[in-house]
Amino acid sequence: MNRTIFHVDMDAFFAAVEQREHPEYRGKPLIIGGLAGRGVVSTCSYEARTYGVHSAMPMERAQRLCPQGIFIEGNYPLYQAASHDVFEIFHAFSPVVEPLSIDEAFLDMTGMERLMTSPHDYAVRLKREIREKTQLVASVGIAPNKFLAKIASDLEKPDGLVEVPQDAAGIRAFLWPLPVSRIWGVGKKTEQHLLTLRVRTVGDLAKLPEATLKKSFGEKTAAQLRALSHGLDDRPVAPRGPQKSIGREETFTEDLRAQADIERALHYLAGEVGWRLRKAGRKARTITLKVRRGDFHTWTRSRTLGRPTNFDDELYAVAKQLYHDLHPTGGIRLLGISGSNFDESEELALFGEETNAKKERLYGVVDALKQRFGRDIIK
Ligand SMILES: [Mg+2]
């Protein structure tokens, strides 16, 4: 089955967050890293890169290359908060997100083709949403697997968007001209070794006789290199650790004031969360509502149900009740609904079984329609 995987990687993440928070850093070479002793550069702005500064370089060296640069130690909690915001958006775009680090992730878009006009357009929307909501810039690679998506996101940084074709000929045309060092896991040592075999590009590697490859690298690595040189990689996108909650939140461009608008937003969010829960095969016993007012005052309110659910209407009813009980005044900037406390061993519900079976069928149909026509169809 063809897969569609996004690799999303934020551009010069720490530096970009600093430049967002400190206008005086914008347009300037900014270098973040350990200032004491033998510190190394952890990130630098693109302005600093033009001086030859790059990450993992000793700070001393960076100071010599770019004496006029701004050198700071960095503010990790700030980056963590920005990362949280970015990952919220990732989760809004895909139910299957595998974080790779604080600022990059794989998003599995397989089966969502019907929700998007095209993966390319969807990636454009993702990039736009990241920019609008966080004022940060991301690069995206679109490919049939993780290996190719990761290469693709890096090719046109910053603000890159590269799509690798699905077919074998297209993959070869994309992959084979690239230097062999682009292959994930090919470090300096392997690269040197490959150079002695006159392998410079991925294409050279693909054409190397199998026996030569085995002799140099052993059976296992040879097989891996061979597969990668043909752009083959069937590792799944694996969300890390057990997911503790499934939710969705939305920041509004203008604060919501009318009751009808708030209820409509809750209804939409409940539908999104229900869909995600069903897709993950989960039912939540605890439903949490998050409300943020225009002045950033934030509340969360939860209710634990007697019977776990993943039905939109039940999620909506609970969220609406929680909202009314909270009764916030003033404009609402953000609303979020999440389900947690997943039911692992679902007990047999003796009462209401019939209605449940009917509802399961109903939501099966709803999800199939969403899959076919896009998530906005049922409104
Ligand atoms: Mg990055």
Side-chain angles (χ1 to χ4, degrees):
M1 182 179 124
N2 280 351
R3 296 188 295 156
T4 303
I5 312 291
F6 285 7
H7 179 253
V8 189
D9 188 12
M10 303 303 293
D11 299 330
F13 184 57
F14 296 174
V17 174
E18 292 289 351
Q19 287 178 327
R20 180 185 73 181
E21 301 299 314
H22 303 274
E24 69 272 24
Y25 294 165
R26 290 180 200 162
K28 303 237 169 75
L30 175 68
I31 296 131
I32 299 162
L35 297 181
R38 294 159 186 260
V40 296
V41 176
S42 94
T43 318
C44 60
S45 67
Y46 281 93
E47 293 84 359
R49 292 177 196 204
T50 60
Y51 293 88
V53 179
H54 58 76
S55 34
M57 170 185 279
M59 276 301 237
E60 267 180 22
R61 176 118 203 277
Q63 257 144 359
R64 274 203 307 278
L65 286 170
C66 185
Q68 67 275 59
I70 301 165
F71 291 82
I72 59 171
E73 288 241 71
N75 176 351
Y76 208 73
L78 179 67
Y79 312 147
Q80 206 109 50
S83 170
H84 175 86
D85 294 342
V86 169
F87 272 82
E88 281 288 339
I89 299 171
F90 293 169
H91 285 285
F93 273 73
S94 167
V96 186
V97 176
E98 177 182 343
L100 277 185
S101 73
I102 189 165
D103 78 319
E104 60 179 308
F106 290 113
L107 278 58
D108 194 343
M109 297 294 171
T110 312
M112 298 182 63
E113 289 80 3
R114 299 295 178 106
L115 304 190
M116 3 185 220
T117 44
S118 72
H120 184 275
D121 287 349
Y122 207 58
V124 169
R125 268 176 55 195
L126 171 65
K127 279 163 61 84
R128 195 192 310 135
E129 186 148 338
I130 291 171
R131 195 191 291 268
E132 283 171 3
K133 288 196 170 156
T134 70
Q135 290 90 54
L136 298 168
V137 180
S139 291
V140 179
I142 307 170
N145 60 49
K146 285 161 68 166
F147 165 65
L148 293 169
K150 176 129 170 101
I151 291 179
S153 71
D154 198 48
L155 281 183
E156 286 180 9
K157 265 181 167 295
D159 202 12
L161 173 52
V162 173
E163 184 171 6
V164 183
Q166 284 274 355
D167 62 296
I171 289 171
R172 280 198 296 273
F174 166 83
L175 188 61
W176 283 10
L178 297 176
V180 77
S181 57
R182 283 278 177 187
I183 294 183
W184 210 0
V186 170
K188 279 269 172 290
K189 229 175 103 193
T190 312
E191 190 186 357
Q192 283 305 319
H193 194 144
L194 286 168
L195 276 178
T196 66
L197 301 169
R198 295 213 190 93
V199 171
R200 286 177 193 284
T201 65
V202 181
D204 295 339
L205 178 63
K207 288 168 205 148
L208 201 66
E210 192 133 15
T212 315
L213 207 54
K214 272 188 195 161
K215 218 173 90 194
S216 299
F217 298 99
E219 192 108 15
K220 201 170 158 228
T221 305
Q224 278 168 351
L225 285 172
R226 159 102 351 175
L228 293 179
S229 72
H230 287 274
L232 302 173
D233 171 23
D234 54 16
R235 290 167 306 159
V237 176
R240 202 164 294 161
Q243 221 175 341
K244 293 215 168 63
S245 78
I246 290 180
R248 177 83 160 83
E249 57 182 54
E250 188 73 41
T251 304
F252 310 110
T253 38
E254 269 178 59
D255 291 353
L256 301 187
R257 290 173 191 280
Q259 204 57 31
D261 291 341
I262 287 161
E263 287 182 2
R264 193 173 310 120
L266 288 175
H267 189 259
Y268 168 74
L269 290 168
E272 286 284 301
V273 175
W275 183 70
R276 270 149 214 272
L277 284 166
R278 293 192 296 276
K279 213 160 179 225
R282 298 295 182 92
K283 288 184 179 177
R285 202 175 269 281
T286 302
I287 313 302
T288 301
L289 171 75
K290 180 172 167 185
V291 179
R292 176 171 294 153
R293 207 160 55 187
D295 62 2
F296 280 84
H297 195 100
T298 306
W299 298 268
T300 56
R301 290 288 182 275
S302 296
R303 174 152 308 153
T304 296
L305 311 171
R307 185 173 52 79
T309 186
N310 57 15
F311 296 143
D312 303 359
D313 61 329
E314 296 181 5
L315 293 165
Y316 173 59
V318 174
K320 196 166 112 178
Q321 192 58 51
L322 287 169
Y323 187 87
H324 285 292
D325 293 349
L326 177 65
H327 196 66
T329 50
I332 300 301
R333 176 187 166 80
L334 173 148
L335 287 170
I337 298 176
S338 62
S340 59
N341 195 357
F342 298 134
D343 216 48
E344 306 299 348
S345 61
E346 206 182 303
E347 303 142 62
L348 199 65
L350 291 177
F351 299 101
E353 247 180 356
E354 177 61 13
T355 49
N356 259 0
K358 268 189 199 151
K359 264 195 183 173
E360 304 263 359
R361 279 198 301 276
L362 168 69
Y363 280 105
V365 173
V366 168
D367 289 346
L369 285 174
K370 285 184 176 182
Q371 192 86 328
R372 265 175 78 188
F373 299 113
R375 260 186 284 164
D376 293 336
I377 188 85
I378 317 284
K379 266 198 168 165

